[in-house]
Amino acid sequence: MVDEVTDPGGWRGWRAATQAALYGTDATSGFYRRPEGPAGHFRTSVHASPLFAGAVARLLCRVDEALGRPASLDFVDMAAGRGELVTAVLAALPDDVAARTRAYAVEVVGRPEGLAPRIEWLPEPPQQVTGLLFANEWLDNVPLEVAEVDAAGVARLVLVRDDGVERLGEPLSGAEAQWLARWWPWPSAREEGLRAEIGLPRDTAWASAVGCVVRGLAVAVDYAHSADARPPFGTLTGFREGRETAPVPDGSCDITAHVALDACAEAGERGSCARLLTQRTALHALGVTGARPPLALASTDPAAYVRALASAGEAAELTAADGLGDFGWLLQPVGIPDPLDTAV
């Protein structure tokens, strides 16, 4: 597998370019090391509504029950930003569960000021997790290579400069070519310009994260696609200050691509069945439905009606079609039944 492709003209593969642009080479460089954090540039489900953290807290409680209410329960927040989700989940837990919960935030930047002392801040997940490992919009920022079909129908590595200008490099080979053949089917007659994002580094990262769970549940949440509906020209894009922009790997913007969660699911299998579902389905199962409050409440308790109406609006955003509701959830139980399987 090619980890980095460079030449004297500054050309390199998208994986190396994205790694440098997002995470830098030291503590002061890289888009994700900026003081404003991810929330300064894009809005995730965590930032959209506290209902999301409440749903994750309920999921953690279900994992707790499946584990037999252990004396110590782990909650691991992967790609924790500035600790927004882990802080809100702890606040939403019942007191008895919160008292037994060990909270971990995993992030590349240093510990933010004001974070609760009980939250451990780590560059990598702990190696012995009994509980819930939750990765919200982590895998889409794991850098990967991009391939494009040339005029002869050959899939070649896409090289890029720091200014975002691209050219084609060598034909794909080895593990990357094998991944493409297995997970990104193209028509037999390849059309020039077709693109694919080689998700092998995401598979490896996810398998490593799942490998940290001794017993419990690992969940990945991301915009995703499946092998029967891969986007023909890929999804690589950038975000800056809340707006989508060209993916330029100079550290000025986020660089992201949707995730082949089906490939990640197979990579993370550990003797139990992984399951893929939409965020809409997952949140509905966790009590976030978006149902409007009864109109009669407006006359009996106007303040409660306004609060319930606002909550319904937030729930609707989290579960909306063509929006956050279309996020994929990958659930991988380890040694417990699937906590969202109503048949269990």
Side-chain angles (χ1 to χ4, degrees):
M1 182 173 62
V2 178
D3 288 323
E4 182 167 346
V5 179
T6 61
D7 71 13
W11 300 98
R12 52 184 170 174
W14 267 105
R15 186 180 180 189
T18 302
Q19 181 69 34
L22 295 187
Y23 305 111
T25 56
D26 56 52
T28 61
S29 62
F31 178 82
Y32 273 99
R33 298 185 187 276
R34 292 184 171 193
E36 70 270 20
H41 296 273
F42 53 87
R43 189 165 179 258
T44 71
S45 297
V46 176
H47 309 118
S49 170
L51 294 176
F52 187 78
V56 176
R58 287 190 289 278
L59 180 58
L60 179 58
C61 289
R62 292 193 188 186
V63 172
D64 182 44
E65 291 293 333
L67 290 169
R69 298 176 58 81
S72 182
L73 176 69
D74 297 326
F75 176 65
V76 181
D77 180 10
M78 296 291 296
R82 297 303 180 265
E84 297 95 337
L85 178 61
V86 63
T87 298
V89 166
L90 286 174
L93 289 172
D95 290 344
D96 64 314
V97 179
R100 292 183 288 109
T101 297
R102 294 185 303 183
Y104 302 91
V106 180
E107 193 43 276
V108 296
V109 300
R111 184 186 184 92
E113 293 184 9
L115 192 71
R118 66 174 297 186
I119 300 172
E120 294 192 45
W121 194 264
L122 303 172
E124 300 288 343
Q127 294 301 302
Q128 299 287 318
V129 175
T130 300
L132 173 61
L133 181 146
F134 198 86
N136 185 61
E137 296 196 51
W138 168 48
L139 290 173
D140 67 317
N141 286 129
V142 173
L144 43 58
E145 300 291 8
V146 177
E148 183 174 319
V149 176
D150 68 10
V154 176
R156 293 180 176 272
L157 193 71
V158 177
L159 304 181
V160 63
R161 295 190 315 216
D162 287 352
D163 60 4
V165 174
E166 295 180 334
R167 72 171 176 83
L168 297 186
E170 294 297 315
L172 282 186
S173 61
E176 290 169 339
Q178 293 170 16
W179 190 96
L180 182 68
R182 167 71 176 87
W183 289 109
W184 201 295
W186 273 330
S188 55
R190 293 182 177 181
E191 175 186 345
E192 182 180 5
L194 290 175
R195 287 170 70 109
E197 292 132 10
I198 311 299
L200 188 58
R202 278 108 179 257
D203 297 355
T204 302
W206 181 243
S208 178
V210 175
C212 295
V213 181
V214 178
R215 285 185 70 219
L217 179 68
V219 179
V221 181
D222 252 305
Y223 273 126
H225 43 59
S226 57
D228 60 352
R230 302 286 189 221
F233 302 104
T235 61
L236 190 74
T237 191
F239 283 92
R240 183 189 296 113
E241 297 177 356
R243 296 187 178 185
E244 190 168 3
T245 186
V248 178
D250 61 359
S252 68
C253 65
D254 183 29
I255 297 173
T256 179
H258 293 192
V259 182
L261 281 181
D262 48 356
C264 293
E266 184 173 292
E269 285 282 7
R270 291 181 52 197
S272 60
C273 292
R275 189 154 67 108
L276 290 165
L277 59 163
T278 65
Q279 175 156 297
R280 183 181 312 105
T281 300
L283 291 185
H284 283 176
L286 291 166
V288 180
T289 65
R292 292 172 64 89
L295 189 58
L297 184 62
S299 56
T300 60
D301 191 341
Y305 177 78
V306 170
R307 290 193 299 270
L309 197 61
S311 179
E314 293 174 3
E317 180 182 4
L318 289 173
T319 59
D322 299 320
L324 296 176
D326 287 344
F327 265 72
W329 280 46
L330 166 57
L331 278 70
Q332 299 219 221
V334 180
I336 65 170
D338 183 341
L340 289 188
D341 187 348
T342 56
V344 173

